């Protein structure tokens, strides 16, 4: 099968979150199954490539084509700066979608499947069925849209409709219109041949009123074409045995000793008293309401009062930057923070922390908890979306489970999960057992890639 992957961020070139991880690691997994892939993505100012862009490949032989547009993409941010969105994001990503078609023709890659990701590429399924409907080059092409986070829909004022460059009038409820505005994701959902999302549980949740972000009705109309496929993790990139960011790379045989060494290094770096016995709770993620920052900040004094240290890294809403600064000022010896997007710091926190805080209000899949497991940082999660699919309560008696889970979203339940974690921490044999389980866990891309292929085949049949 010939598959064109179109995405706004792809590791190792540009990343703001899990979308980039997925778009950098699913294509190589598909390639291993024998499919031919090209990736198309914008070249940003910050993209990790030389200028002018040479022919870049990832995986065995996946060609990566960069859409160049100085005006639209040569900026400091991917989607915005200083906490605000760029005002011309519709124009930026509509242009990107049009360029994807042009690029495919230029490189003479007639795809069977165009695999689109999130609202930035929501226009592609529409263009395929309008502007390119009668183009013989795309005669066999079908589109699949993967939703990585339903809350981001690409909503814009209706007066911009003409700038989309779509042939035909689609500003109506069965098209791009959503409460008198343009909604790029909605259009993509309606026009794609299949829709996938990144965990089975989230696939169910988004079809409910509570978690449908206003699009649950649109999604329910397509329920036969919606598939939940769990993300995998790239275990070559996320490998504590061979991680250039770690002072003390480790494996299952020496995890106890070397995680403690990594903890001492991080404590010094964050200005915390060094003590390998102090339980350390880590957080790495976007600082936004979704990631449960409110809950973390509500219980952080309680965590500290229970003798723990906390290490947080992230960027996002100004409000949370400020609240984290305040918490750290209250407890300078207990709370360490690094409020930037920084790969090295992220890896160090995963490796050094004993527990990983992920009390997300909702979570489409979540990679943080998978990475944390791989680095022996035991996840403490809210039972929602992909977190519910991947993390199961540890049972010390039967030695099953891989983390701590709370169901009801609130301070009390979260603190209770934290207390259970601390109880296990104090039982060294239990902690050793749990660590060993965590390190063994694998969320395989091979299995998920095969599920994607099944969806693609269904679209083509
Ligand atoms: P989301 O895609 O919703 O942001 P995920 O858990 O799926 O959340 O993926 C987050 C990815 O982004 C992980 O690879 C995580 O390590 C990375 N990440 C998030 N914040 C930071 C940061 N401040 N510095 C470095 N990496 C980060």
């Amino acid at each position: 099968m010939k598959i064109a992957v179109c995405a706004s961020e792809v590791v190792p070139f540009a990343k703001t979150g899990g979308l980039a991880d997925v778009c950098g690691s699913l294509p190589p997994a598909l390639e291993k199954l024998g499919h031919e892939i090209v990736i198309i993505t914008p070249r940003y100012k910050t993209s990790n490539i030389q200028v002018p862009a040479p022919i870049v490949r990832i995986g065995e032989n996946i060609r990566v084509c960069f859409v160049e547009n100085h005006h639209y993409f040569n900026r400091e941010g991917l989607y915005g700066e200083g906490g605000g969105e760029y005002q011309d994001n519709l124009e930026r990503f509509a242009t990107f979608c049009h360029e994807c078609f042009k690029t495919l023709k230029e490189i003479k890659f007639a795809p069977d499947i165009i695999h689109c990701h999130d609202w930035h590429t929501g226009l592609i399924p529409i263009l395929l069925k309008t502007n390119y409907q009668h183009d013989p080059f795309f005669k066999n092409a079908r589109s699949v849209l993967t939703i990585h986070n339903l809350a981001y829909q690409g909503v814009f004022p209706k007066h911009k409709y003409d700038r989309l460059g779509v042939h035909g009038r689609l500003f109506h409820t069965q098209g791009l219109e959503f409460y008198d505005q343009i909604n790029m994701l909605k259009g993509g959902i309606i026009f794609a041949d299949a829709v996938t999302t990144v965990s089975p549980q989230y696939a169910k949740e988004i079809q409910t009123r509570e978690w449908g972000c206003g699009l649950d009705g649109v999604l329910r109309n397509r329920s036969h074409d919606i598939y939940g496929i769990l993300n995998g993790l790239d275990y070559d990139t996320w490998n504590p045995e061979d991680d250039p960011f770690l002072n003390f790379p480790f494996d299952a045989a020496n995890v106890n000793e070397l995680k403690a060494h990594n903890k001492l290094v991080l404590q010094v770096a964050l200005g915390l008293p060094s003590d390998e016995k102090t339980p350390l709770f880590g957080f790495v993620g976007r600082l936004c309401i979704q990631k449960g920052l409110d809950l973390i900040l509500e219980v952080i004094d309680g965590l500290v009062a229970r003798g723990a240290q906390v290490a947080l890294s992230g960027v996002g809403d100004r409000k949370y930057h400020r609240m984290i600064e305040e918490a750290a000022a209250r407890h300078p010896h207990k709370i360490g923070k690094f409020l930037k997007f920084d790969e090295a710091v992220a890896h160090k926190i995963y490796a050094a922390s004993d527990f990983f805080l992920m009390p997300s209000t909702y979570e489409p899949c979540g990679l943080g908890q998978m990475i944390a497991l791989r680095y022996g940082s035991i996840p403490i999660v809210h039972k929602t979306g992909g977190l519910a699919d991947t993390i199961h309560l540890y049972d010390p008696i039967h030695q099953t489970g891989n983390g701590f889970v709370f169901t009801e979203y609130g301070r009390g339940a979260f603190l209770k999960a934290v207390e259970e974690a601390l109880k296990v921490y104090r039982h060294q044999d239990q902690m050793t057992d749990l660590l060993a389980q965590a390190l063994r866990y694998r969320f395989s891309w091979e299995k998920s890639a095969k599920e994607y292929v099944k969806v693609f085949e269904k679209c083509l049949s």
Side-chain angles (χ1 to χ4, degrees), residues 115-134:
H115 190 184
C116 313
H117 295 267
D118 276 351
W119 75 262
H120 321 94
T121 53
L123 200 60
I124 289 177
I126 298 172
L127 293 175
L128 188 62
K129 290 199 174 146
T130 51
N131 298 28
Y132 291 94
Q133 190 184 7
H134 302 298

Side-chain angles (χ1 to χ4, degrees), residues 9 11 15-22 148-149 152 198 231 233 238 283-288 290-291 312-316 338-347 350 356 358 360 362-371 387:
E9 48 182 280
V11 159
K15 165 167 166 175
T16 67
L19 167 64
D21 290 298
V22 173
H148 296 259
N149 193 332
Y152 299 87
V198 287
N231 285 337
L233 187 67
W238 298 103
F283 172 88
V284 177
R286 290 180 293 114
L287 303 182
C288 61
Q290 179 206 338
K291 297 293 172 185
L312 305 123
S313 177
V315 275
F338 191 86
L339 304 185
K340 299 221 169 79
F341 193 95
D342 190 297
E343 282 294 339
V345 173
H347 285 239
Y350 289 119
F356 191 75
M358 212 157 160
S360 309
Y362 72 92
E363 192 59 76
C365 175
L367 293 176
Q369 82 281 16
M370 297 183 184
I371 301 168
L387 296 173

Side-chain angles (χ1 to χ4, degrees), residues 74-317:
N74 198 38
R75 303 182 184 177
E76 293 308 321
L78 266 55
Y79 313 118
E81 281 170 46
E85 304 274 290
Y86 291 130
Q87 288 305 302
D88 56 355
N89 273 342
L90 174 139
E91 292 85 340
R92 297 174 76 225
F93 290 102
T95 301
F96 173 64
C97 292
H98 283 275
E99 288 295 323
C100 286
F101 286 91
K102 285 191 203 148
T103 304
L104 288 169
K105 283 190 157 184
E106 259 165 44
I107 63 169
K108 300 191 171 61
F109 188 88
D112 299 303
I113 294 291
I114 307 183
H115 190 184
C116 313
H117 295 267
D118 276 351
W119 75 262
H120 321 94
T121 53
L123 200 60
I124 289 177
I126 298 172
L127 293 175
L128 188 62
K129 290 199 174 146
T130 51
N131 298 28
Y132 291 94
Q133 190 184 7
H134 302 298
D135 188 324
F137 191 82
F138 293 103
K139 194 174 76 211
N140 299 319
R142 299 287 179 273
S143 65
V144 174
L145 174 67
T146 295
I147 300 172
H148 296 259
N149 193 332
L150 187 66
Y152 299 87
Q153 300 180 359
V155 174
F156 302 98
K158 65 177 172 187
H159 72 81
K160 289 196 166 192
Y161 183 80
D162 287 343
R163 300 191 200 164
L164 292 172
V166 179
H167 298 169
R169 303 209 159 273
L170 293 179
F171 193 73
H172 52 68
T173 51
Q174 293 312 305
L176 280 152
E177 194 240 344
F178 182 71
Y179 293 102
D180 213 30
Q181 292 187 296
I182 297 165
N183 185 317
M184 304 270 269
L185 189 68
K186 179 187 172 187
I189 292 170
I190 291 175
F191 279 78
D193 291 289
V195 175
T196 76
T197 187
V198 287
S199 68
Q201 178 63 24
Y202 192 60
K204 288 186 214 150
E205 289 172 359
I206 57 175
Q207 297 182 59
T208 65
R209 240 184 111 178
E210 189 179 6
W211 296 111
C213 302
L215 291 180
D216 45 298
V218 179
L219 287 161
R220 278 196 302 274
N221 277 339
R222 298 228 49 194
S223 62
H224 294 297
D225 304 312
I226 297 180
Y227 303 86
I229 303 176
L230 197 67
N231 285 337
L233 187 67
D234 177 350
Y235 285 93
D236 294 329
T237 304
W238 298 103
N239 179 5
E241 292 174 34
D242 177 29
D243 185 326
F245 295 118
L246 300 191
N247 298 73
F248 298 97
F250 59 87
D251 58 30
N254 54 26
V255 54
N256 280 314
E257 184 192 347
L258 294 187
K259 257 188 89 73
H261 287 5
N262 284 307
K263 187 194 278 187
L264 293 173
V265 172
L266 186 72
Q267 285 167 327
V268 171
L270 295 178
L272 301 173
S274 13
D275 175 11
E276 61 176 70
K277 296 260 182 304
T278 303
L280 178 65
F281 290 72
F283 172 88
V284 177
R286 290 180 293 114
L287 303 182
C288 61
I289 190 167
Q290 179 206 338
K291 297 293 172 185
L293 265 303
D294 292 287
L295 212 48
I296 291 178
L297 288 156
E298 258 181 63
V299 306
I300 208 160
D301 290 335
L303 268 172
V304 165
R306 286 164 178 75
Q309 290 178 342
V310 189
L312 305 123
S313 177
V315 275
D317 297 354

Side-chain angles (χ1 to χ4, degrees), residues 5-6 20 60 74 91 195 212 262 320 322 329 344 394 404 414-415 456:
V5 177
C6 304
E60 283 298 311
N74 198 38
E91 292 85 340
V195 175
N262 284 307
Y320 296 121
R322 199 194 64 238
Y394 175 62
F404 298 90
F414 185 32
L415 260 181
F456 297 164

